[in-house]
Amino acid sequence: MTLLYRVGSGGNSIVVQKSEKPEATDNSLMLSNEEKRLLERVNKLRTDKQKPTLKPNPKLFAVARAHARAMAKKEKEEDEDNGKDTMARVKESGYKWSKDLLTYNSAVGQNWNPDQCFQTWSQTLVPTTNMQDEKYLETGIGIARSDGGNVFFYQIFAMPDK
């Protein structure tokens, strides 16, 4: 993968294209233009269905970004990485979620943008169900490009533990 520059530090750093300027959310989490676009599309779908919008969570974003990079490095779209699935990675991050209320969507496409990913998810039962499920209130998004031109998308949906 070609990294143009990094924003952030440690597990919260992200890769940003030169043409993108990350935007801060109210909790100081920086979103790339691509992450912001995918979140906007998912939240528009949710508001159109009278569902609450998803709030970006820094821990979920860190997990999603790291996993998207791992998939891009391996050129393989799959949940498991180094013997850990989404639940194990999120648990390791310290994020606490309500029982059984954690899931994810993933996709890969040659030179895809967030609109193409969203379109694909919107035409598939499980991803559409995940995007519309009102039980999920927080999210994390990771988007990474491989050297081969594939773009890997990974979105985590969760209900925080109270």
Side-chain angles (χ1 to χ4, degrees):
M1 293 186 319
T2 304
L3 306 180
L4 298 175
Y5 65 92
R6 288 189 174 273
V7 175
S9 62
N12 290 327
S13 65
I14 61 170
V15 178
V16 180
Q17 287 184 347
K18 237 180 193 175
S19 62
E20 293 183 1
K21 291 183 181 165
E23 273 190 38
T25 62
D26 57 2
N27 60 2
S28 298
L29 174 67
M30 302 293 278
L31 300 184
S32 71
N33 289 339
E34 288 183 323
E35 292 167 338
K36 185 179 176 201
R37 177 64 179 163
L38 185 55
L39 182 58
E40 287 170 349
R41 293 292 309 264
V42 172
N43 276 340
K44 176 154 182 7
L45 172 72
R46 291 172 68 90
T47 57
D48 287 350
K49 302 285 185 183
Q50 286 89 44
K51 310 289 183 191
T53 59
L54 294 168
K55 283 184 56 181
N57 178 280
K59 289 181 181 180
L60 296 178
F61 263 81
V63 171
R65 289 167 173 164
H67 190 61
R69 287 191 303 267
M71 290 190 300
K73 184 177 180 181
K74 294 178 182 180
E75 287 280 1
K76 192 171 188 181
E77 179 196 4
E78 64 182 353
D79 184 35
E80 189 173 310
D81 183 43
N82 294 324
K84 296 178 184 171
D85 63 5
T86 299
M87 286 192 171
R89 287 188 299 274
V90 171
K91 183 177 182 181
E92 198 172 75
S93 78
Y95 181 86
K96 305 254 189 278
W97 69 92
S98 295
K99 183 181 175 164
D100 299 324
L101 293 177
L102 180 93
T103 193
Y104 72 95
N105 286 350
S106 66
V108 61
Q110 186 72 25
N111 295 314
W112 272 14
N113 62 45
D115 293 323
Q116 290 166 301
C117 173
F118 178 81
Q119 186 68 27
T120 298
W121 285 347
S122 298
Q123 297 171 351
T124 311
L125 179 61
V126 172
T128 299
T129 300
N130 291 343
M131 290 189 295
Q132 294 182 35
D133 194 328
E134 65 190 16
K135 293 181 294 231
Y136 301 124
L137 300 177
E138 294 186 342
T139 193
I141 296 170
I143 301 170
R145 286 166 190 74
S146 71
D147 286 338
N150 287 315
V151 183
F152 290 80
F153 295 84
Y154 187 72
Q155 184 171 12
I156 300 170
F157 302 86
M159 165 63 89
D161 197 18
K162 297 184 183 193

